[in-house]
Amino acid sequence: VVDGDMIMAILAVSMKERGVLRDDTLVTTVMSNLGLHRAMAAHGIAVETTAVGDRYVLERMNEGGFSLGGEQSGHVIMREFATTGDGLLTGLHVCAEMARQNKTLAELASIMTVFPQVLVNVKGVERARATDDDVAAAVVAAERELGDTGRVLLRPSGTEPMVRVMVEAADSATAQTIADRLATLVTSYQFTHRFHYGASLSVYIRRVISQRNQPQLNEISIFPCSARFRLPPAQGRAVGTRRAPELCPCSSEDRERR
């Protein structure tokens, strides 16, 4: 399959050779494969990255006066001819390039090496979970583990309570392992609840467990004026999350661990 990244790579290099790639720059989204970035760097082409959606690609193209942009999904915008993705237009330009170079589509597409990419959609969680501190720290650790052989992207869905976990690596097994690890973390449920002195904490805990249909707690940390609970994923089903206030600044001596 020749996807949008490969098509953009073919057209970008061709346009640069013919002197019509404005500022030697390609505009694409954060979902484009690392292989596209590597291929463009090898040909002296800069890559501008936007949020997902051809509207954002076109917006950046208009701002910078760039001539080519698109998405991995196949929406390719050639601003000289159109302001939106046009499959027929794109297909004609690719065919013209095949004729110009007297090469097959497969030969042209070999201009870039695709890095294995794993995408896991974690459903049923608040979109803000993608930026929680524990998740952000795990992403940094994963990026450190991959080094320059891959990348990690956590992106909240724009239309539903879901977080998309995308990992690229030199091999598919590594990408899958890291993606599954991050997805599991995203599904964990952690929040802090402040309660008044004298409140029945045991009653509150039972109510939380009952409401969330959770038979157990992974961790309970009790403080003089707040409690923190960490619930496990429910048999593979994502558990909702809630943004929470800061824990009280209690000293370690004040904590009662249960």
Side-chain angles (χ1 to χ4, degrees):
V1 176
V2 177
D3 63 12
D5 284 345
M6 296 178 184
I7 291 172
M8 287 188 287
I10 293 169
L11 295 179
V13 171
S14 171
M15 291 172 67
K16 183 187 177 186
E17 290 176 350
R18 293 181 285 115
V20 294
L21 183 65
R22 182 70 64 87
D23 293 339
D24 291 341
T25 298
L26 169 68
V27 181
T28 187
T29 75
V30 293
M31 293 302 292
S32 278
N33 194 271
L34 180 60
L36 175 62
H37 292 262
R38 293 283 182 87
M40 295 300 93
H43 287 83
I45 297 174
V47 178
E48 291 273 340
T49 304
T50 75
V52 175
D54 52 7
R55 56 173 286 194
Y56 299 110
V57 173
L58 179 61
E59 184 179 88
R60 183 68 192 100
M61 290 176 70
N62 287 335
E63 289 174 353
F66 303 123
S67 52
L68 179 65
E71 297 187 275
Q72 185 185 62
S73 60
H75 296 158
V76 178
I77 302 174
M78 307 183 76
R79 205 167 63 97
E80 179 183 354
F81 306 100
T83 57
T84 186
D86 187 319
L88 290 176
L89 176 65
T90 302
L92 287 172
H93 278 270
V94 171
C95 288
E97 190 58 24
M98 292 169 61
R100 186 177 78 88
Q101 295 194 40
N102 192 29
K103 291 183 177 180
T104 66
L105 180 58
E107 289 173 325
L108 291 180
S110 66
I111 193 171
M112 69 169 276
T113 300
V114 178
F115 278 62
Q117 185 181 86
V118 173
L119 178 65
V120 179
N121 292 327
V122 184
K123 299 181 179 181
V125 299
E126 288 186 5
R127 286 171 280 182
R129 181 70 177 133
T131 57
D132 281 347
D133 291 344
D134 58 333
V135 175
V139 169
V140 170
E143 290 174 335
R144 189 180 301 114
E145 178 182 344
L146 290 169
D148 61 358
T149 64
R151 70 187 183 108
V152 178
L153 175 68
L154 262 67
R155 184 172 67 87
S157 169
T159 58
E160 57 184 312
M162 179 170 67
V163 173
R164 304 183 194 278
V165 178
M166 190 276 286
V167 178
E168 291 172 349
D171 62 88
S172 56
T174 299
Q176 188 69 61
T177 298
I178 294 176
D180 289 342
R181 183 199 312 159
L182 291 173
T184 298
L185 177 62
V186 171
T187 61
S188 66
Y189 181 79
Q190 183 172 336
F191 69 96
T192 300
H193 173 71
R194 290 185 178 277
F195 58 93
H196 298 292
Y197 288 105
S200 176
L201 181 58
S202 61
V203 171
Y204 175 78
I205 293 174
R206 285 197 297 272
R207 185 167 69 250
V208 169
I209 296 175
S210 174
Q211 289 174 348
R212 293 293 172 177
N213 193 28
Q214 292 290 328
Q216 62 179 328
L217 291 174
N218 276 358
E219 175 187 336
I220 307 178
S221 301
I222 308 232
F223 301 82
C225 61
S226 64
R228 182 183 190 185
F229 309 88
R230 185 175 182 83
L231 305 183
Q235 299 179 348
R237 176 177 59 81
V239 181
T241 63
R242 185 196 315 168
R243 301 293 284 184
E246 294 293 329
L247 287 172
C248 65
C250 304
S251 64
S252 58
E253 292 78 16
D254 293 330
R255 302 179 183 180
E256 176 185 357
R257 205 71 155 163
R258 297 183 184 176

